[in-house]
Amino acid sequence: MRAARAVMGSAVLAMAWAANLAYACPSCASPLEENRQAFVDTTIFLTVVPLTMMGGFVWWLRRKVRERDDAPEIAVPQSMLRDAGRFSKGP
Amino acid sequence: MPDDALGRPYGVPVRREPVVPNGVLGMLIFVATEVMFFSGLISAFVIGKSNAIGGWPPPGQPRLPVEETALNTAALLASGVALYFANRAFRKDSPSVKPLLGLAIALGGFFVLFQGAEWVALIGEGLTLTSGQLGGFFYLLVGTHALHVVAGFIILLYTYQRLSHHDLDRFTFWPAQIFWYFVVGVWPILYWQVYL
């Protein structure tokens, strides 16, 4: 078990050591400045979009929960619930 | 029947609305994945454009119909506005909901037909999926959006049919609206990136 861990650890270190051989960064090798800038811009764009969406959703949900919690609880007779059903037009 | 401390009769259940209806939540999650999908496509296009040797649009390729598509963009945006007012009318139980929803659907249909005609003209001019980077990206981005417009158009037709049968509830109407607003909202970005 210990030997296996040592082998795995060595393999990860070796890969990290040789990472520059892979040239995995396409913008680093591009001679065009515009292309490098496009990579930077799209990286920022693709990072910001999901964070904004998730943040916006959490903010909106929190607002909705607060609105609901602030509203007074009203007892509704069963007969009214039956009449309105799922077709009631709420806010 | 005796009342409890809050004055509510015992034995009567208190109905609490969910904060977000299931249909709305499901559609929001779906639209979030769609936003990421389109973001990926737009990013690929931006990088492809910046990588093009000889400038963009590539020389020797047909020009995209910028002015005509601006008119089509206005039609799609107007469709979104009509749907917004249809929802307001729906909430007020106003009879104008039907013509407004019909207008939104008609404008969406106009957008699809106009784009179809535009594609026929462009293919006639030699811009195809395999004619070059411009054609490949154009049909991929605009085509993917067109598929979404067609899907949204079918969903709106379904809501119209339910409305005609007095069977439309807000749990059906809201998700349909979210999808259509997404389709309408993503188009100006595509227009700006692809056509301008």
Coordinates of all heavy atoms in Angstrom, one line a residue, chain B residues 23-91:
Chain B
G23 N -41.8 23.6 -11.9 CA -41.6 23.8 -13.3 C -40.7 25.0 -13.6 O -39.8 24.9 -14.4
V24 N -40.8 26.0 -12.7 CA -40.0 27.2 -12.9 C -38.5 26.9 -12.5 O -37.6 27.2 -13.3 CB -40.5 28.4 -12.0 CG1 -39.5 29.5 -12.0 CG2 -41.8 28.8 -12.5
L25 N -38.4 26.1 -11.4 CA -37.0 25.7 -11.0 C -36.3 24.9 -12.1 O -35.2 25.1 -12.4 CB -37.1 25.0 -9.7 CG -35.8 24.6 -9.1 CD1 -34.9 25.8 -8.7 CD2 -36.0 23.7 -7.9
G26 N -37.1 23.9 -12.6 CA -36.5 23.0 -13.6 C -36.1 23.8 -14.8 O -35.0 23.6 -15.4
M27 N -37.0 24.7 -15.3 CA -36.7 25.5 -16.5 C -35.5 26.4 -16.2 O -34.6 26.6 -17.1 CB -37.9 26.3 -16.9 CG -37.7 27.1 -18.2 SD -37.2 26.0 -19.6 CE -38.8 25.4 -20.1
L28 N -35.4 27.0 -15.0 CA -34.2 27.9 -14.7 C -32.9 27.1 -14.8 O -31.9 27.6 -15.3 CB -34.4 28.5 -13.3 CG -35.4 29.6 -13.2 CD1 -35.5 30.0 -11.7 CD2 -34.9 30.8 -14.0
I29 N -32.9 25.9 -14.2 CA -31.7 25.0 -14.3 C -31.4 24.7 -15.7 O -30.2 24.8 -16.2 CB -31.9 23.7 -13.4 CG1 -32.0 24.1 -12.0 CG2 -30.8 22.8 -13.7 CD1 -32.4 23.0 -11.0
F30 N -32.4 24.4 -16.5 CA -32.2 24.1 -17.9 C -31.6 25.3 -18.7 O -30.7 25.1 -19.4 CB -33.5 23.6 -18.6 CG -33.4 23.3 -20.0 CD1 -32.6 22.3 -20.5 CD2 -34.0 24.1 -21.0 CE1 -32.5 22.0 -21.8 CE2 -33.9 23.9 -22.3 CZ -33.2 22.8 -22.8
V31 N -32.2 26.4 -18.4 CA -31.8 27.6 -19.1 C -30.3 28.0 -18.7 O -29.5 28.4 -19.5 CB -32.7 28.8 -18.8 CG1 -32.1 30.1 -19.2 CG2 -34.0 28.6 -19.6
A32 N -30.0 27.7 -17.4 CA -28.6 27.9 -17.0 C -27.6 27.1 -17.8 O -26.5 27.6 -18.2 CB -28.5 27.6 -15.5
T33 N -28.0 25.8 -18.0 CA -27.1 25.0 -18.8 C -27.0 25.5 -20.3 O -26.0 25.4 -20.9 CB -27.6 23.5 -18.8 OG1 -28.8 23.4 -19.5 CG2 -27.7 22.9 -17.5
E34 N -28.2 26.0 -20.7 CA -28.2 26.5 -22.1 C -27.3 27.8 -22.2 O -26.7 28.0 -23.2 CB -29.6 26.9 -22.5 CG -30.5 25.7 -22.7 CD -30.2 25.0 -24.0 OE1 -29.2 24.3 -24.1 OE2 -31.1 25.0 -24.9
V35 N -27.3 28.6 -21.2 CA -26.5 29.8 -21.1 C -25.0 29.4 -21.3 O -24.3 30.0 -22.0 CB -26.8 30.7 -19.9 CG1 -25.7 31.7 -19.7 CG2 -28.1 31.3 -19.9
M36 N -24.6 28.4 -20.5 CA -23.3 27.9 -20.6 C -22.9 27.4 -21.9 O -21.8 27.5 -22.5 CB -23.0 26.9 -19.5 CG -22.9 27.5 -18.1 SD -22.0 29.0 -17.9 CE -20.3 28.5 -18.3
F37 N -23.9 26.7 -22.5 CA -23.7 26.1 -23.9 C -23.4 27.2 -24.9 O -22.5 27.1 -25.7 CB -24.9 25.2 -24.2 CG -24.9 24.7 -25.6 CD1 -23.9 23.8 -26.0 CD2 -25.9 25.0 -26.5 CE1 -23.9 23.3 -27.3 CE2 -25.9 24.5 -27.8 CZ -25.0 23.6 -28.2
F38 N -24.3 28.2 -24.9 CA -24.1 29.3 -25.8 C -22.9 30.1 -25.5 O -22.2 30.6 -26.4 CB -25.4 30.2 -25.8 CG -26.4 29.7 -26.7 CD1 -27.5 29.0 -26.3 CD2 -26.4 30.0 -28.1 CE1 -28.5 28.5 -27.1 CE2 -27.4 29.6 -29.0 CZ -28.4 28.8 -28.5
S39 N -22.5 30.2 -24.2 CA -21.3 30.9 -23.8 C -20.1 30.2 -24.4 O -19.1 30.8 -24.9 CB -21.1 31.0 -22.3 OG -22.2 31.7 -21.8
G40 N -20.1 28.9 -24.4 CA -19.0 28.1 -25.0 C -18.9 28.3 -26.5 O -17.8 28.5 -27.0
L41 N -20.1 28.3 -27.1 CA -20.1 28.5 -28.6 C -19.6 29.9 -29.0 O -18.8 30.1 -29.9 CB -21.5 28.3 -29.1 CG -22.1 26.9 -29.2 CD1 -23.5 27.0 -29.8 CD2 -21.3 26.0 -30.1
I42 N -20.0 30.9 -28.2 CA -19.6 32.3 -28.5 C -18.1 32.4 -28.2 O -17.4 33.1 -29.0 CB -20.5 33.3 -27.7 CG1 -21.9 33.3 -28.2 CG2 -19.9 34.7 -27.7 CD1 -22.9 34.0 -27.2
S43 N -17.6 31.8 -27.2 CA -16.2 31.9 -26.9 C -15.4 31.3 -28.0 O -14.3 31.8 -28.4 CB -15.9 31.2 -25.6 OG -16.5 31.8 -24.5
A44 N -15.8 30.1 -28.5 CA -15.1 29.4 -29.6 C -15.1 30.3 -30.8 O -14.1 30.5 -31.5 CB -15.8 28.1 -29.9
F45 N -16.2 31.0 -31.1 CA -16.3 31.9 -32.2 C -15.4 33.1 -32.1 O -14.7 33.5 -33.0 CB -17.8 32.4 -32.4 CG -18.0 33.4 -33.5 CD1 -17.8 33.0 -34.8 CD2 -18.3 34.7 -33.2 CE1 -18.0 33.9 -35.8 CE2 -18.5 35.6 -34.2 CZ -18.3 35.2 -35.5
V46 N -15.3 33.7 -30.9 CA -14.5 34.8 -30.6 C -13.0 34.5 -30.9 O -12.2 35.2 -31.5 CB -14.7 35.4 -29.2 CG1 -13.6 36.4 -28.8 CG2 -16.0 36.0 -29.1
I47 N -12.6 33.3 -30.4 CA -11.2 32.8 -30.6 C -10.9 32.5 -32.0 O -9.9 32.9 -32.6 CB -10.9 31.6 -29.6 CG1 -10.9 32.1 -28.2 CG2 -9.6 30.9 -30.0 CD1 -10.9 31.1 -27.1
G48 N -11.9 31.9 -32.7 CA -11.8 31.6 -34.1 C -11.6 32.8 -34.9 O -10.8 32.9 -35.9
K49 N -12.4 33.8 -34.6 CA -12.4 35.1 -35.3 C -11.0 35.8 -35.1 O -10.4 36.3 -36.0 CB -13.5 36.0 -34.7 CG -14.0 37.0 -35.6 CD -15.4 37.5 -35.2 CE -15.4 38.4 -34.0 NZ -16.6 39.2 -33.9
S50 N -10.5 35.7 -33.9 CA -9.2 36.4 -33.6 C -8.1 35.7 -34.2 O -7.0 36.2 -34.4 CB -9.0 36.5 -32.1 OG -8.8 35.2 -31.5
N51 N -8.3 34.4 -34.5 CA -7.2 33.6 -35.1 C -7.1 33.7 -36.6 O -6.2 33.1 -37.2 CB -7.5 32.1 -34.7 CG -6.2 31.4 -34.2 OD1 -5.1 32.0 -34.3 ND2 -6.3 30.2 -33.7
A52 N -8.2 34.3 -37.2 CA -8.3 34.3 -38.7 C -7.2 35.1 -39.3 O -7.0 36.3 -38.9 CB -9.7 34.8 -39.1
I53 N -6.5 34.6 -40.2 CA -5.5 35.3 -40.9 C -6.1 36.0 -42.1 O -6.9 35.4 -42.9 CB -4.4 34.3 -41.4 CG1 -3.7 33.7 -40.1 CG2 -3.3 35.1 -42.3 CD1 -2.9 32.5 -40.4
G54 N -5.9 37.3 -42.3 CA -6.5 38.1 -43.3 C -7.7 38.8 -42.9 O -8.4 39.4 -43.7
G55 N -8.0 38.9 -41.6 CA -9.1 39.7 -41.1 C -10.4 38.9 -41.0 O -10.5 37.8 -41.5
W56 N -11.4 39.6 -40.4 CA -12.7 39.0 -40.3 C -13.7 40.0 -40.8 O -13.7 41.1 -40.4 CB -13.0 38.5 -38.9 CG -14.2 37.7 -38.8 CD1 -15.5 38.1 -38.6 CD2 -14.3 36.3 -38.9 NE1 -16.3 37.1 -38.5 CE2 -15.6 35.9 -38.7 CE3 -13.3 35.3 -39.1 CZ2 -16.0 34.6 -38.8 CZ3 -13.7 34.0 -39.1 CH2 -15.1 33.6 -39.0
P57 N -14.7 39.6 -41.6 CA -15.0 38.3 -42.2 C -13.9 37.9 -43.2 O -13.3 38.8 -43.8 CB -16.3 38.4 -42.8 CG -16.6 39.9 -42.9 CD -15.8 40.6 -41.9
P58 N -13.6 36.6 -43.4 CA -12.6 36.2 -44.3 C -12.9 36.7 -45.7 O -14.0 36.8 -46.1 CB -12.6 34.7 -44.2 CG -13.4 34.3 -43.0 CD -14.3 35.5 -42.8
P59 N -11.8 37.1 -46.4 CA -12.0 37.6 -47.8 C -12.6 36.5 -48.7 O -12.3 35.3 -48.5 CB -10.6 38.0 -48.2 CG -9.7 37.5 -47.2 CD -10.4 37.1 -46.0
G60 N -13.4 37.0 -49.7 CA -13.9 36.0 -50.6 C -15.2 35.3 -50.2 O -15.7 34.4 -50.9
Q61 N -15.7 35.7 -49.0 CA -16.9 35.1 -48.5 C -18.1 36.0 -48.6 O -17.9 37.3 -48.6 CB -16.7 34.7 -47.0 CG -15.7 33.7 -46.7 CD -16.2 32.3 -47.0 OE1 -17.3 31.9 -46.6 NE2 -15.5 31.5 -47.9
P62 N -19.3 35.5 -48.8 CA -20.5 36.5 -48.9 C -20.7 37.3 -47.7 O -20.3 36.8 -46.6 CB -21.7 35.5 -49.2 CG -21.1 34.2 -49.3 CD -19.7 34.1 -48.9
R63 N -21.2 38.5 -47.8 CA -21.5 39.3 -46.7 C -22.8 38.9 -46.0 O -23.7 38.5 -46.7 CB -21.6 40.8 -47.1 CG -20.4 41.5 -47.8 CD -19.2 41.5 -46.8 NE -18.3 40.3 -47.0 CZ -17.2 40.2 -46.5 NH1 -16.7 41.0 -45.7 NH2 -16.5 39.1 -46.7
L64 N -22.8 39.0 -44.7 CA -24.0 38.6 -44.0 C -25.0 39.8 -44.1 O -24.6 41.0 -44.0 CB -23.7 38.3 -42.6 CG -22.8 37.1 -42.4 CD1 -22.5 36.9 -40.9 CD2 -23.4 35.8 -42.9
P65 N -26.3 39.5 -44.2 CA -27.3 40.6 -44.3 C -27.6 41.3 -43.0 O -28.5 40.9 -42.3 CB -28.6 39.8 -44.8 CG -28.4 38.4 -44.4 CD -27.0 38.2 -44.2
V66 N -26.8 42.3 -42.7 CA -26.8 43.0 -41.4 C -28.1 43.7 -41.2 O -28.8 43.6 -40.2 CB -25.6 43.9 -41.3 CG1 -25.7 44.7 -40.0 CG2 -24.3 43.2 -41.4
E67 N -28.5 44.5 -42.2 CA -29.7 45.4 -42.1 C -31.0 44.6 -42.0 O -31.9 44.8 -41.1 CB -29.9 46.4 -43.3 CG -28.8 47.5 -43.3 CD -27.5 47.0 -44.0 OE1 -27.5 45.9 -44.6 OE2 -26.5 47.6 -43.8
E68 N -31.1 43.6 -42.9 CA -32.3 42.7 -42.9 C -32.5 42.0 -41.5 O -33.6 41.9 -41.0 CB -32.3 41.7 -44.0 CG -32.4 42.3 -45.4 CD -31.0 42.7 -46.0 OE1 -30.1 43.0 -45.2 OE2 -30.9 42.6 -47.2
T69 N -31.3 41.5 -41.0 CA -31.4 40.8 -39.8 C -31.7 41.7 -38.6 O -32.2 41.3 -37.6 CB -30.1 40.0 -39.5 OG1 -29.8 39.3 -40.7 CG2 -30.2 39.0 -38.4
A70 N -31.3 43.0 -38.7 CA -31.7 44.0 -37.7 C -33.2 44.0 -37.5 O -33.7 44.1 -36.4 CB -31.1 45.3 -38.0
L71 N -33.9 44.0 -38.7 CA -35.3 44.0 -38.7 C -35.9 42.8 -38.0 O -36.8 42.8 -37.2 CB -35.8 44.1 -40.1 CG -37.3 44.0 -40.3 CD1 -38.0 45.3 -40.0 CD2 -37.7 43.6 -41.7
N72 N -35.2 41.7 -38.3 CA -35.7 40.4 -37.7 C -35.4 40.4 -36.2 O -36.2 39.8 -35.4 CB -34.9 39.2 -38.4 CG -35.7 38.0 -38.5 OD1 -36.9 38.0 -38.4 ND2 -35.1 36.9 -38.8
T73 N -34.3 41.0 -35.8 CA -34.0 41.1 -34.4 C -35.1 41.9 -33.7 O -35.5 41.5 -32.6 CB -32.6 41.8 -34.2 OG1 -31.6 41.0 -35.0 CG2 -32.2 41.9 -32.8
A74 N -35.5 43.0 -34.3 CA -36.5 43.8 -33.7 C -37.8 43.0 -33.6 O -38.5 43.1 -32.6 CB -36.8 45.0 -34.6
A75 N -38.1 42.2 -34.6 CA -39.3 41.3 -34.5 C -39.3 40.4 -33.3 O -40.2 40.2 -32.6 CB -39.5 40.5 -35.8
L76 N -38.1 39.8 -33.1 CA -37.9 38.8 -32.0 C -38.0 39.5 -30.6 O -38.7 39.1 -29.7 CB -36.6 38.1 -32.1 CG -36.5 36.9 -31.2 CD1 -37.5 35.8 -31.5 CD2 -35.1 36.3 -31.3
L77 N -37.4 40.7 -30.6 CA -37.5 41.5 -29.3 C -38.9 41.9 -29.0 O -39.4 41.9 -27.9 CB -36.6 42.7 -29.4 CG -35.1 42.5 -29.4 CD1 -34.3 43.8 -29.6 CD2 -34.6 41.8 -28.1
A78 N -39.6 42.3 -30.1 CA -41.1 42.7 -29.9 C -41.9 41.5 -29.5 O -42.8 41.7 -28.7 CB -41.6 43.2 -31.3
S79 N -41.5 40.3 -29.9 CA -42.2 39.1 -29.5 C -42.0 38.9 -27.9 O -43.0 38.5 -27.3 CB -41.6 37.9 -30.2 OG -41.9 36.7 -29.6
G80 N -40.8 39.2 -27.5 CA -40.6 39.1 -26.0 C -41.4 40.1 -25.2 O -42.0 39.8 -24.2
V81 N -41.5 41.3 -25.8 CA -42.3 42.4 -25.1 C -43.8 42.0 -25.1 O -44.5 42.1 -24.1 CB -42.1 43.7 -25.9 CG1 -43.0 44.8 -25.3 CG2 -40.6 44.2 -25.7
A82 N -44.3 41.4 -26.3 CA -45.7 41.0 -26.3 C -46.0 39.9 -25.3 O -47.0 39.9 -24.7 CB -46.0 40.5 -27.7
L83 N -45.0 39.0 -25.1 CA -45.2 37.9 -24.1 C -45.2 38.5 -22.7 O -46.0 38.0 -21.9 CB -44.1 36.9 -24.3 CG -44.3 35.6 -23.5 CD1 -45.5 34.9 -23.9 CD2 -43.0 34.7 -23.6
Y84 N -44.4 39.5 -22.5 CA -44.4 40.1 -21.2 C -45.8 40.7 -20.8 O -46.3 40.6 -19.8 CB -43.3 41.2 -21.1 CG -43.3 42.1 -19.9 CD1 -42.9 41.6 -18.7 CD2 -43.9 43.4 -19.9 CE1 -42.9 42.4 -17.5 CE2 -43.9 44.2 -18.8 CZ -43.5 43.7 -17.6 OH -43.5 44.5 -16.5
F85 N -46.3 41.4 -21.8 CA -47.6 42.1 -21.6 C -48.7 41.0 -21.6 O -49.7 41.2 -20.9 CB -47.9 43.1 -22.7 CG -47.2 44.4 -22.4 CD1 -46.1 44.8 -23.2 CD2 -47.6 45.2 -21.4 CE1 -45.4 46.0 -22.9 CE2 -46.9 46.4 -21.1 CZ -45.8 46.8 -21.9
A86 N -48.5 39.9 -22.3 CA -49.5 38.8 -22.2 C -49.5 38.2 -20.8 O -50.6 37.9 -20.3 CB -49.1 37.7 -23.2
N87 N -48.4 38.1 -20.2 CA -48.3 37.6 -18.8 C -49.0 38.6 -17.8 O -49.7 38.2 -16.9 CB -46.9 37.4 -18.4 CG -46.7 36.9 -17.0 OD1 -47.4 35.9 -16.6 ND2 -45.9 37.5 -16.1
R88 N -48.8 39.9 -18.0 CA -49.5 40.9 -17.2 C -51.0 40.8 -17.3 O -51.7 40.8 -16.3 CB -49.0 42.3 -17.6 CG -47.6 42.6 -17.0 CD -47.2 44.0 -17.3 NE -48.1 45.0 -16.7 CZ -47.7 46.3 -16.5 NH1 -46.6 46.7 -16.9 NH2 -48.6 47.1 -16.0
A89 N -51.4 40.6 -18.6 CA -52.9 40.4 -18.8 C -53.4 39.1 -18.2 O -54.5 39.1 -17.6 CB -53.1 40.4 -20.3
F90 N -52.6 38.1 -18.2 CA -53.0 36.8 -17.6 C -53.1 36.9 -16.1 O -54.1 36.4 -15.6 CB -51.9 35.8 -18.0 CG -52.1 34.4 -17.4 CD1 -53.0 33.6 -18.0 CD2 -51.4 34.0 -16.3 CE1 -53.3 32.3 -17.5 CE2 -51.6 32.7 -15.8 CZ -52.5 31.9 -16.4
R91 N -52.3 37.7 -15.5 CA -52.3 37.8 -14.0 C -53.6 38.7 -13.6 O -54.1 38.5 -12.6 CB -51.1 38.5 -13.5 CG -49.9 37.5 -13.4 CD -48.6 38.1 -13.3 NE -48.5 38.9 -12.0 CZ -47.4 39.4 -11.6 NH1 -46.2 39.2 -12.2 NH2 -47.3 40.1 -10.5

